[in-house]
Every structure is written in structure tokens, then in C-alpha cells.
């Protein structure tokens, strides 16, 4: 039987205001009311009882305000005076602005005569005026039995009492703010759940009654609070739940079934079948059916994990090194095996059981479970989802589902098939490729075939694989167990099955999590050959500071990254050569491909296969000529390396930057190592007559070039405009490069003559330090001639005696020196008579200005710049 509560559901008629007073008894879903907050719960609870309704378009309008006339109707109906109000319709009102034919005439008459609502001093009521939150609270508390004898002036006394009762807990209360329909639902639901009071004038006190407002109007409606949902299922062709009331004094009242109404509204869960283990409140209708269920939000969030230990004496269960307290009574439920146990912590006995009657500690040992809690953070429900793994949906047909492993989930054409997806009830046709499905047979939950589908994905880069763990963007997940045709299934972007999870290391994937929150399906790029790290060896050695010998290798990768890896202590190369022996022969500059283990250590090293072109070996040799580009017809982009080999768009070129001492026969006699390797481009080497290099090609297509020229081939010269030198703890210089002011470290000496506005060639190393700086050659200085600006071709002419024309391009940088300040400028800023400092492009760009500086002849460094140009460039004046 149902437990009797002394607080019955309080009925506040939140009508459709300008529409009907009471809607039908069926529940509605409003498109503008969602979630599990106080407002949504209040609206749906009252709507499920048929006492509020929405608009014909399916909305409720929670943000819409209401009028005083509309709320007078609420007040009268709430007080149980709807019949009286009907009788008073057409009776002349005491308010001058309420006509007898006003739709609210009867409601205002009865509410005013009862003292629930009052008018204004001028004799008006203001029926169309918005009602404030303070006025709503006043009317509701007057219906409860409070009056103006409350301490304090109006509305302070009413507001203080409402706050004391807890009526204001779930809204932001602003006394003069116009009340909205949603706020009225919250305030009304809270107020009408309070006991009525009686004013004792002799003692000037309000004495509480034992009955709640309007309980006689809905004497069978009952709000049951804080019960645990043990199980939901189809029973006798009706959907029902079994609940447990921890607070019931009578043992017979603690556990009982509750049938759901056809139009039940669930707040806080996608369906009734997603409430197992949750604490809920629910409301029943006159037929004792649950019409509204709200999952409570005052309990701690569920915890999932593997039971590592349990302490019967301390009454705790341990997951992920954390102990969780068990409630005095808790439940253990195994979904698939239908084991339902109620355990008494006092004597560790199983009080009731269906199915396996083993001790609860035996059932939990090493199992993956979900813990649910009460409001005191005690475990009240332990669910062991299933001993079986999931299937991965591939395609859905009318009568079966084909999985990724070829298994067919059949029986979908039967009447007793039930399907949920992420807790919501769906049809089988709603399932999608990649969904993980538990296939439960044998009349579980009242159905012959029950499919529970999940679509819970995590996307990111696989950063590490270690044992049964997979790290996605650094977060650890556990791989699902792999059983026959079930469990972990993996495929690449082409939907080809992947059998080695290591293939995903460093790649972007989407992982699907099963009910145990484990990765049961992976799809994404494997990278294939790209998953290996291709790099040149910079250095290697042994570290003894970690308590044992740890071999390491310092690499420069094809992505331009310098990184040091430890080498797995169990490492053996493909020829069973131990790591000591391998490193003894590994030379700097060797191109290798490495694989890492789950700990980020090198587990495999292979020489990169050059296919048709063998690597030159451990010492550089002169291997041919680089053919320069003369014109499009001769642009072969190739090396003469044991036959022509052609550079591709993705050819990787390493510049090792070593210094070699050679004999007359080009044999190396000594090597000066330089760890500062760089990536080069074809442009860095295409104009060289010859290079020292190892060339790695597939047929006649070059994959890698390891350039070992003495001193390197990568140019780090930057043409920029010097601005200022200064100190910030380090010596610094600011240089305009490509129109941006950039700062570099530079160990300049006092008195060093760097000229503001001068164009310099700056050599910058990989540490952003300037190694050399010199006034640029190929500069010219001169005055813009009369009629020397040619806007059509974006060109200009300078020179007093010798006229020289310079073109500009979209890449030309313009800077103006103004009052010893540099500012980025543009072509249109050039005027006749301006003094220009110009850096001309080279080769194909000859005649086109790379940098143009509009000089100020009054600036501090002008005379020095003019002198410098005379030395390094051309003075056209």
C-alpha cells in the first residue's frame, strides 16, 4: 500500500489564463519548457495533474507576464471558490474599472470579498495591470490564512514570511518585478505545499493546521517524495516501477509497485527506463497512477568503476582508490542476470533476493559497477550493467540489425521488442551506425527482446596506449574486453577493420563508450606509415642518473621538432641486436624510423628504406649536382643521384649543418658536430653546384634528403628595418620584418652604430638570437623625381642625376620615418620630393622594391644612412 503523507499535493490552478481554467488530465510537453530545474518541474507537475495548460501552439510561455485579473481567477480557484465565482458573474463590482460584462468580473468579485485581492485608493482594481511578485506572494499567503497582522509593513511582512517558509528558494525574488507565468508556477507550487494557518487575534499569532491548502479538492492526489526506483519494467501489459521508501516506518510500506499513467511526464531522465537507482519524487492521479516523476538533483552524481575492494566493517566500497560509504540499506542489481539484492549493512545479510542468492561481496568482487547515492552521499544502489559486451551497429533492417562483426540481432519484427537509445524509448529504425547495443533476451524487463543502445562519443588524438588503457587528448580510458563477436571493435576511415590499437597512436579518432564507460568502438585514421616517427639522429647515449642504465636518443623529426626519447630497456632491433650494440654503431645524421611503446619510449628503430637509392653511409660523399631553375621548360626539380631523382611537394629535406674536414679525394678526415639541425626547402639547395647528402627515394621520387654540407644550407638572413636597441636584462634589438615589429636578442656593444630607418641583413639562429647584423647591400637612396610617381603601375622614379625606376608589388613593405618614429606606411604615402631608401629584389625580382623607406632628412640618423648607402649601395642623388 502507499504510504500516507501529511502533505498532499497543493493545487494551484495555473490556467491558460485567457483560455480554459482546467485542462484535460493528460500531460503535455511544452516546446519552451525543458530541463529538470524548479520551474520546469513545477510546470510539468501541475500540468500532469490537469491543473495548468499551455497555448494551442504547444508552448507554455513561462516568460510571459500575467495580469491582476488573471491572477484573481487563480486566487479564487485555488481557494476552492470556483462555483461561487460563477455565481457572482454579472454582479456589479465595487471597482469602477471592472464592468459587469468583464470576463473576470466573477473571479475579481469573489477574490476581493474574501480579502485575497484589494484595489487602489481611487476605487479602481487595474484588471489589465501586470501583477508584481510581491502581490503574488501576498495573495498566496492570504489564501493560506496569513493577513496584514504579519510583522512589518506591506509587503515586507509577507515577503519575510514567504522566505521563512522557503517559498522564495527557487526564484530570484524582486518585489516590484512583474511576475511571469513560470515564476507563478514556482511560487504557487511551493506555497500551496504549505499547511494552512489560523489567525488567533487574542494572542496575535498564526497557528498552523495539519492540512494543506486545497487538499480536499484533490484528496486522492499525492506527492510522494524521496523514494528509490529499484526497477522499471513491463508488468501485466502496463509500464510500472518498483520503488523503495527508506523513511517508511511500517516495513510493509517500504517497497511497493507503482503503475505509470499513459501520459506520464518524466523530468530529469530521458525515459522511465533510465531511472533505475535514482531517487525520485512522483505524483499520482485519482487512479493511483504516476502522472509525474522528477529525478531528484540533491544526490551526488553517479560514480562508475571497477570494485577494487570492500570493507564490511567500515561499510565502504572502493573504486579508483576512493572509498564510498554504503547506506544502512542498499541494493545490488544486475541488469542482465536479473539479480536484485537488498543488503542490510548492520549484519551484512541479504534481506530479499531474486535470482542468485550469493553474498553481495562475492557478486561485487572485481566487477565494474555504477554507484548511485542519496542526499547524504551514501551508496544506496549498485548496478552491475551486464556480463556481456556490446555489439556495434553497422546497418539496420526491418527485422534485424547487422553488426560490424557480422552478427545479426534478430526478432525486430516481433511485438514484444523494446528499444532504448541513451535511455529514451525509440524504435529499432532510430538506431544508427556506430551505436553500441546490449542485446538482452529471455523476457528481461517483461520483453522477449530488449535492446539498450548507447551513443556516447569522445573525439581527440590518441596520445598514448598503455596496457588496457587508451589516452585520448591525455585523458585515460579503458578498452572494453573483447569477447566473441562483441566488445572492442576498431576500423579506419575506410571502414577496414583494425586489429592493432597501436596503429591509432598520434592520430585523431572517435571513441564510442559502452555502458561501463569503456571504449568499445574506435573509428579514425591509423596514419599507416605516417604513424612511425621519421627522424635523423642528433646524438645518443646512456643515462645512469635514474637508478639504472637508461639509453636515450636525441632526434630531429621530419616535423622540425627536436626531441629526446628513452629507449625501451627490452629493445632489440630486427637483427636481435641489443641496444648497446646498436647505439655503438648508430651515427649522427642517420635517417631512422622509430616506434614508441605505451610509455613513450622507443620500442623499435629501423633504417629508412631508400628502395632504389641506397643511403650513402655514415660519412658524406659528393653525390652529384643540383640542377638550378632557369625557366619553366627547364624546371626539373631533380638531383643527379645515381640517376635522376625528382623532388616532390612533400619531400622532406634535413639540413644537418655539420662541418667536415675533407682530403683531396673528398674523404672525411674530421667532423665538427652541430646539434642545431633545421628543415630546408628545395629553394635552399637548388642553386648549389653540388651537395653532400643522403638521398632516399621510391623509384625516381625523392622522399627524404639529408643534407650534410659543411656549415649547412639553410639561410637565416632576414632583411629588416632597424628601429632601436635596448636592455631588458638581455640586450635586445627591435627590427621591422614584413611590416611587423619583432624583437631579438643581440649582444651589441656600446657605441655600435645601428641606424634607425636603415635596412639591415640580420642573421637569426633557432633561439631567436641575432648572430650578425650588417647594413644591407643592394640598397639605393634618392629623391622622388617630379612626375616620378606612376600610380598605374605602382612604380616610382628616384635620382637627381640618374633616373632609376622601381616597381612595387603586393609584398613590398613601406615604412615612414617621422620624428624619429617608424610607422608602417603604403605606396600612396609617397610624394614628389620624398627621400626614399630602397632595397631592390634580386634575380627574377630585380627592379622590384622589396623595402621602401620614406626618410626624414631631419631625423637623427639620416646623414649616417646616406653615408652607409654610399658604401654599401647606390646613392642616386
Amino acid at each position: 500500500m502507499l504510504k500516507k503523507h501529511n502533505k498532499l499535493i497543493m493545487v494551484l490552478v495555473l490556467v491558460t489564463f485567457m483560455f480554459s481554467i482546467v485542462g484535460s488530465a493528460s500531460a503535455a510537453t511544452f516546446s519552451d519548457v525543458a530541463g529538470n530545474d524548479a520551474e520546469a518541474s513545477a510546470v510539468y507537475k501541475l500540468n500532469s495533474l490537469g491543473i495548468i495548460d499551455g497555448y494551442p501552439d504547444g508552448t507554455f510561455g513561462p516568460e510571459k507576464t500575467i495580469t491582476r485579473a488573471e491572477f484573481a481567477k487563480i486566487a479564487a480557484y485555488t481557494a476552492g471558490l470556483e462555483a461561487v465565482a460563477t455565481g457572482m458573474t454579472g454582479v456589479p463590482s465595487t471597482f469602477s474599472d471592472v464592468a459587469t460584462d468583464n470576463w473576470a468580473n466573477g473571479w475579481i468579485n469573489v477574490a476581493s470579498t474574501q480579502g485575497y485581492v484589494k484595489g487602489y485608493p481611487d476605487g479602481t482594481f487595474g484588471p489589465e495591470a501586470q501583477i508584481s511578485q510581491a502581490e503574488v506572494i501576498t495573495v498566496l499567503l492570504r489564501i493560506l490564512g496569513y493577513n496584514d497582522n504579519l510583522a512589518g509593513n506591506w509587503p515586507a511582512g509577507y515577503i519575510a514570511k514567504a522566505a521563512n517558509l522557503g517559498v522564495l528558494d527557487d526564484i530570484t525574488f524582486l518585489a516590484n518585478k512583474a511576475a511571469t507565468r513560470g515564476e507563478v508556477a514556482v511560487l504557487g507550487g511551493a506555497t500551496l505545499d504549505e499547511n494552512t494557518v489560523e489567525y488567533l487575534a487574542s494572542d496575535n499569532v498564526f497557528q498552523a493546521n495539519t492540512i494543506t491548502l486545497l487538499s480536499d479538492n484533490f484528496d486522492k492526489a499525492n506527492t510522494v517524495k524521496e523514494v528509490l526506483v529499484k526497477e522499471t519494467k513491463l508488468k501485466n501489459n502496463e509500464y510500472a516501477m518498483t520503488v523503495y521508501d527508506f523513511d517508511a516506518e511500517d516495513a510493509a510500506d517500504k517497497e511497493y509497485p507503482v503503475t505509470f499513467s499513459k501520459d506520464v511526464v518524466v523530468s530529469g531522465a530521458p525515459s522511465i527506463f533510465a531511472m533505475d537507482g535514482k531517487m525520485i519524487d512522483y505524483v499520482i492521479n485519482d487512479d493511483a497512477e504516476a502522472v509525474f516523476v522528477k529525478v531528484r538533483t540533491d544526490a551526488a552524481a553517479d560514480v562508475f568503476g571497477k570494485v577494487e575492494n570492500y570493507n564490511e566493517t567500515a561499510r565502504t566500497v572502493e573504486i579508483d582508490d576512493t572509498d564510498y560509504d554504503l547506506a544502512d540499506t542498499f541494493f545490488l542489481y544486475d541488469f542482465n542476470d536479473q539479480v536484485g539484492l537488498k543488503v542490510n549493512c548492520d549484519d551484512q545479510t541479504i534481506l530479499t533476493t531474486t535470482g542468485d542468492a550469493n553474498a553481495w561481496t562475492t557478486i561485487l568482487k572485481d566487477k565494474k559497477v555504477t554507484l548511485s547515492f542519496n542526499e547524504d552521499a551514501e551508496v544506496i544502489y549498485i548496478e552491475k550493467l551486464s556480463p556481456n559486451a556490446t555489439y556495434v551497429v553497422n546497418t539496420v533492417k526491418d527485422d534485424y540489425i547487422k553488426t560490424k562483426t557480422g552478427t545479426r540481432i534478430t526478432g525486430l519484427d516481433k511485438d514484444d521488442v523494446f528499444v532504448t537509445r541513451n535511455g529514451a524509448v525509440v524504435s529499432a529504425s532510430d538506431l544508427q551506425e556506430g551505436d553500441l547495443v546490449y542485446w538482452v533476451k529471455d523476457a528481461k524487463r517483461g520483453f522477449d527482446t530488449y535492446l539498450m543502445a548507447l551513443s556516447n562519443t569522445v573525439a581527440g588524438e590518441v596520445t598514448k596506449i598503455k596496457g588496457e588503457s587508451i589516452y585520448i587528448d591525455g585523458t585515460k580510458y579503458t578498452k572494453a574486453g573483447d569477447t566473441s563477436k562483441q566488445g572492442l571493435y576498431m576500423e579506419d576511415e575506410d571502414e577496414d577493420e583494425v586489429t592493432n590499437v597501436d596503429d591509432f597512436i598520434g592520430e585523431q579518432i572517435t571513441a564510442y563508450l559502452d555502458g561501463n564507460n569503456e571504449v568499445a568502438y574506435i573509428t579514425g585514421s591509423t596514419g599507416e606509415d605516417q604513424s612511425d616517427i621519421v627522424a635523423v639522429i642528433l646524438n645518443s647515449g646512456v643515462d645512469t642518473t635514474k637508478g639504472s642504465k637508461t639509453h636515450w636518443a636525441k632526434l630531429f623529426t621530419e616535423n622540425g621538432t627536436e626531441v629526446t626519447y628513452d629507449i625501451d630497456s627490452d629493445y632489440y632491433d630486427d637483427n636481435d641486436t641489443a641496444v648497446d650494440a646498436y647505439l655503438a654503431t648508430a651515427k649522427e645524421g642517420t635517417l631512422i624510423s622509430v616506434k614508441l611503446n605505451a610509455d613513450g619510449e622507443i620500442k623499435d628503430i629501423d633504417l629508412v628504406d631508400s628502395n632504389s637509392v641506397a643511403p650513402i653511409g655514415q660519412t658524406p660523399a659528393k653525390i652529384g649536382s643540383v640542377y638550378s631553375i632557369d625557366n619553366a621548360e627547364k624546371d626539373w626539380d631533380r638531383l643527379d643521384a645515381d640517376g635522376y631523382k625528382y623532388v616532390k611537394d612533400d619531400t622532406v629535406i634535413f639540413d644537418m649543418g655539420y662541418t667536415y674536414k675533407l682530403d683531396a679525394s673528398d674523404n672525411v678526415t674530421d667532423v665538427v658536430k652541430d646539434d642545431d639541425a633545421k628543415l630546408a626547402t628545395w629553394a635552399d639547395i637548388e642553386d648549389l653546384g653540388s651537395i653532400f647528402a643522403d638521398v632516399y627515394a621510391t623509384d625516381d621520387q625523392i622522399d627524404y634528403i639529408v643534407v650534410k654540407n659543411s656549415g649547412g644550407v639553410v639561410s637565416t638572413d632576414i632583411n629588416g628595418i632597424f628601429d632601436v636597441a635596448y636592455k631588458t636584462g638581455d640586450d635586445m634589438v627591435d627590427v621591422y620584418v614584413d611590416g611587423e615589429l619583432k624583437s631579438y636578442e643581440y649582444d651589441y656593444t656600446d657605441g655600435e652604430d645601428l641606424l634607425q630607418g636603415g635596412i639591415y641583413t640580420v642573421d637569426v639562429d633557432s633561439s631567436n638570437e641575432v648572430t650578425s647584423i650588417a647594413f644591407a647591400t643592394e640598397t639605393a637612396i634618392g629623391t622622388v623625381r617630379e612626375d616620378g610617381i606612376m600610380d598605374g603601375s605602382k612604380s616610382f622614379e628616384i635620382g637627381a642625376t640618374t633616373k632609376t625606376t622601381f616597381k612595387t608589388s603586393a609584398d613590398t613593405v613601406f615604412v615612414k620615418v617621422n620624428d624619429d618614429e617608424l610607422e608602417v606606411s603604403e605606396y600612396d604615402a609617397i610624394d614628389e620630393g620624398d627621400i626614399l631608401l630602397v632595397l631592390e629584389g634580386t634575380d627574377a625580382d630585380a627592379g622590384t622594391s622589396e623595402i621602401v623607406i620614406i626618410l626624414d632628412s631631419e631625423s637623427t640618423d639620416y646623414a649616417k644612412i646616406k653615408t652607409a648607402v654610399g658604401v654599401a649601395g647606390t646613392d642616386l642623388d
Side-chain angles (χ1 to χ4, degrees):
M1 60 181 291
L2 289 176
K3 173 186 175 184
K4 295 294 184 182
H5 292 259
N6 61 3
K7 285 189 179 181
L8 302 181
I9 180 63
M10 299 301 95
V11 180
L12 169 62
V13 181
L14 296 180
V15 297
T16 323
F17 299 123
M18 298 301 292
F19 299 95
S20 61
I21 267 288
V22 182
S24 65
S26 62
T29 300
F30 303 116
S31 60
D32 54 354
V33 179
N36 193 32
D37 58 17
E39 182 178 274
S41 295
V43 169
Y44 280 124
K45 180 168 72 173
L46 298 178
N47 173 255
S48 67
L49 290 171
I51 59 175
I52 61 173
D53 207 348
Y55 294 102
D57 63 356
T59 64
F60 177 75
E63 301 304 319
K64 294 182 178 180
T65 58
I66 65 172
T67 66
R68 286 165 55 84
E70 291 169 341
F71 198 74
K73 183 178 182 180
I74 294 172
Y77 201 98
T78 302
L81 300 174
E82 66 275 16
V84 179
T86 301
M88 294 187 70
T89 299
V91 175
S93 173
T94 59
F95 302 111
S96 61
D97 56 349
V98 180
T100 56
D101 59 353
N102 188 301
W103 72 269
N105 167 260
W107 303 106
I108 294 173
N109 282 340
V110 70
S112 63
T113 57
Q114 293 297 314
Y116 303 145
V117 298
K118 297 181 180 180
Y120 297 110
D122 63 357
T124 62
F125 179 73
E128 300 306 315
Q130 293 177 335
I131 190 167
S132 69
Q133 289 186 354
E135 291 170 331
V136 169
I137 286 298
T138 299
V139 173
L140 292 175
L141 264 62
R142 283 173 178 165
I143 297 172
L144 278 176
Y146 295 98
N147 57 37
D148 293 349
N149 290 298
L150 285 167
N153 296 326
W154 185 88
Y158 286 95
I159 295 171
K161 174 53 66 174
N164 179 260
L165 294 173
V167 171
L168 308 183
D169 288 351
D170 292 321
I171 71 164
T172 301
F173 185 80
L174 299 172
N176 295 323
K177 177 181 178 294
T180 64
R181 285 162 57 88
E183 290 166 348
V184 168
V186 174
L187 292 172
T191 302
L192 296 174
D193 215 15
E194 295 297 324
N195 290 349
T196 60
V197 299
E198 181 180 354
Y199 178 62
L200 302 180
S202 59
D203 298 323
N204 191 29
V205 296
F206 295 94
Q207 180 175 291
N209 297 317
T210 59
I211 190 169
T212 53
L213 188 61
L214 289 181
S215 60
D216 288 340
N217 288 5
F218 292 82
D219 57 352
K220 291 186 179 179
N222 198 338
T223 301
V224 182
K225 296 185 176 180
E226 294 188 85
V227 295
L228 171 71
V229 179
K230 281 188 57 182
E231 183 183 27
T232 51
K233 65 190 307 181
L234 180 67
K235 184 177 182 180
N236 298 326
N237 294 319
E238 292 181 318
Y239 295 108
M241 62 181 171
T242 301
V243 300
Y244 187 84
D245 188 340
F246 291 93
D247 296 329
E249 295 179 2
D250 189 343
D253 291 340
K254 284 185 174 291
E255 184 171 320
Y256 52 86
V258 180
T259 300
F260 293 105
S261 72
K262 179 181 178 182
D263 299 307
V264 64
V265 173
V266 176
S267 177
S271 76
I272 60 175
F273 288 94
M275 298 190 302
D276 287 2
K278 303 296 187 292
M279 295 296 294
I280 65 165
D281 300 337
Y282 71 92
V283 175
I284 60 173
N285 60 16
D286 290 348
D287 296 323
E289 298 173 325
V291 291
F292 175 78
V293 182
K294 175 188 176 182
V295 176
R296 295 182 64 88
T297 57
D298 52 3
D302 290 351
V303 170
F304 170 81
K306 183 178 180 180
V307 176
E308 299 165 347
N309 201 356
Y310 39 81
N311 189 315
E312 297 180 1
T313 302
R315 299 180 179 178
T316 59
V317 59
E318 180 183 344
I319 292 179
D320 289 336
D321 298 325
T322 301
D323 288 329
Y324 297 94
D325 294 331
L326 297 167
D328 290 342
T329 298
F330 68 91
F331 292 87
L332 169 62
Y333 185 73
D334 187 317
F335 176 83
N336 194 67
D337 287 345
Q338 295 292 282
V339 176
L341 306 179
K342 181 171 69 176
V343 181
N344 186 328
C345 271
D346 287 333
D347 55 13
Q348 305 299 318
T349 59
I350 298 173
L351 301 181
T352 62
T353 178
T354 57
D356 192 341
N358 290 332
W360 68 273
T361 51
T362 302
I363 297 173
L364 283 181
K365 184 176 176 58
D366 296 328
K367 298 300 188 297
K368 295 167 184 175
V369 301
T370 298
L371 306 182
S372 296
F373 302 86
N374 59 20
E375 61 183 356
D376 297 323
E378 297 172 329
V379 177
I380 55 173
Y381 196 87
I382 304 177
E383 180 176 16
K384 186 161 72 76
L385 176 66
S386 173
N388 298 324
T390 56
Y391 296 93
V392 183
V393 173
N394 188 37
T395 55
V396 180
K397 302 296 184 181
D398 291 338
D399 56 349
Y400 71 91
I401 294 172
K402 185 177 181 181
T403 71
K404 292 286 187 179
T405 54
T407 299
R408 291 195 176 195
I409 299 176
T410 58
L412 303 187
D413 54 344
K414 296 181 179 180
D415 294 333
D416 53 356
V417 176
F418 193 76
V419 184
T420 64
R421 186 175 189 268
N422 293 339
V425 179
V426 299
S427 64
S429 60
D430 293 318
L431 302 186
Q432 301 175 19
E433 181 181 2
D435 283 355
L436 304 178
V437 176
Y438 288 91
W439 183 13
V440 185
K441 308 174 187 179
D442 303 326
K444 299 299 190 298
R445 286 202 170 184
F447 303 95
D448 285 344
T449 300
Y450 183 89
L451 302 182
M452 186 171 64
L454 301 170
S455 181
N456 180 18
T457 62
V458 176
E461 180 185 348
V462 177
T463 52
K464 184 167 65 173
I465 302 290
K466 185 175 183 180
E468 295 304 309
S469 300
I470 178 170
Y471 292 77
I472 303 175
D473 286 341
T475 300
K476 178 182 176 182
Y477 296 89
T478 301
K479 295 180 290 184
D482 189 7
T483 62
S484 177
K485 302 289 186 179
Q486 296 171 269
L488 181 62
Y489 181 80
M490 302 176 292
E491 65 182 17
D492 61 20
E493 63 268 36
D494 297 323
E495 298 189 359
D496 293 327
E497 184 175 4
V498 175
T499 57
N500 185 1
V501 71
D502 291 355
D503 292 346
F504 293 108
I505 293 178
E507 301 300 325
Q508 294 291 324
I509 67 165
T510 298
Y512 292 71
L513 307 181
D514 64 15
N516 289 326
N517 208 38
E518 296 178 337
V519 176
Y521 172 46
I522 296 175
T523 180
S525 172
T526 59
E528 297 178 348
D529 292 340
Q530 287 73 31
S531 63
D532 296 341
I533 300 173
V534 176
V536 290
I537 298 177
L538 295 179
N539 205 347
S540 61
V542 179
D543 182 1
T544 59
T545 64
K546 300 178 181 180
S548 60
K549 290 173 58 177
T550 302
H551 295 85
W552 55 268
K554 184 178 181 182
L555 309 178
F556 183 74
T557 74
E558 60 183 321
N559 297 320
T561 303
E562 185 178 294
V563 61
T564 300
Y565 292 110
D566 288 345
I567 300 177
D568 190 335
S569 58
D570 295 328
Y571 169 82
Y572 275 79
D573 73 5
D574 293 340
N575 298 314
D576 290 332
T577 303
V579 64
D580 288 298
Y582 179 83
L583 291 178
T585 59
K587 302 293 185 180
E588 292 76 12
T590 302
L591 189 65
I592 60 174
S593 173
V594 302
K595 290 184 175 68
L596 305 181
N597 64 18
D599 295 319
E601 301 170 332
I602 295 175
K603 69 175 183 179
D604 187 40
I605 301 175
D606 293 302
L607 292 174
V608 172
D609 186 1
S610 64
N611 294 326
S612 62
V613 178
I616 299 304
Q618 304 304 330
T619 57
K622 189 174 180 180
I623 63 170
S625 300
V626 179
Y627 285 76
S628 62
I629 299 174
D630 295 326
N631 52 52
E633 286 75 26
K634 295 183 179 180
D635 182 8
W636 301 112
D637 290 354
R638 66 186 183 184
L639 289 172
D640 184 4
D642 192 22
Y644 289 132
K645 309 299 176 187
Y646 294 89
V647 176
K648 305 178 295 180
D649 290 339
D650 59 352
T651 298
V652 179
I653 304 175
F654 296 94
D655 180 18
M656 298 308 296
Y658 289 176
T659 299
Y660 302 96
K661 294 181 179 180
L662 308 176
D663 59 20
S665 302
D666 283 341
N667 296 314
V668 177
T669 60
D670 193 16
V671 178
V672 180
K673 295 185 295 184
D674 179 4
D675 284 353
D676 187 23
K678 305 177 182 68
L679 291 182
T681 66
W682 178 245
D684 292 317
I685 63 175
E686 63 182 353
D687 291 327
L688 300 177
S690 61
I691 61 172
F692 293 112
D694 293 343
V695 180
Y696 301 81
T698 302
D699 298 327
D700 63 351
Q701 302 294 302
I702 299 175
D703 300 312
Y704 302 97
I705 303 173
V706 181
V707 179
K708 301 180 177 180
N709 277 36
S710 179
V713 297
V714 176
S715 173
T716 57
D717 291 346
I718 300 171
N719 289 322
I721 305 141
F722 178 76
D723 183 20
V724 64
Y726 57 97
K727 289 181 179 290
T728 61
D730 295 314
D731 293 339
M732 304 292 294
V733 290
D734 284 354
V735 180
Y736 272 98
V737 177
D738 295 330
E740 283 185 49
L741 187 64
K742 298 186 178 181
S743 299
Y744 302 101
E745 289 186 31
Y746 175 54
D747 188 14
Y748 62 87
T749 58
D750 291 338
E752 186 171 357
D753 217 359
L754 298 175
L755 308 175
Q756 184 188 49
I759 302 174
Y760 287 82
T761 299
V762 183
D763 189 49
V764 180
D765 66 15
S766 59
S767 300
N768 207 42
E769 294 181 7
V770 173
T771 56
S772 66
I773 183 169
F775 202 92
T777 58
E778 304 298 331
T779 55
I781 191 169
T783 302
V784 179
R785 299 167 62 92
E786 183 178 352
D787 298 328
I789 300 174
M790 293 160 280
D791 292 335
S793 60
K794 295 288 186 181
S795 304
F796 55 85
E797 296 176 340
I798 63 173
T801 55
T802 303
K803 179 178 72 173
T804 302
T805 301
F806 292 95
K807 296 177 290 184
T808 66
S809 70
D811 296 325
T812 302
V813 175
F814 298 89
V815 172
K816 189 172 185 179
V817 180
N818 190 7
D819 296 329
D820 290 330
E821 295 286 340
L822 301 185
E823 60 183 46
V824 177
S825 189
E826 57 186 7
Y827 172 83
D828 293 340
I830 300 174
D831 291 325
E832 295 177 4
D834 282 347
I835 302 170
L836 303 184
L837 177 65
V838 182
L839 176 67
E840 182 181 5
T842 59
D843 301 330
D845 293 327
T848 299
S849 51
E850 187 176 308
I851 299 174
V852 177
I853 301 177
I854 306 173
L855 291 173
D856 183 352
S857 61
E858 302 301 321
S859 68
T860 303
D861 290 333
Y862 170 71
K864 294 180 179 180
I865 290 175
K866 190 171 177 62
T867 299
V869 174
V871 175
T874 304
D875 187 346
L876 297 175
D877 284 344

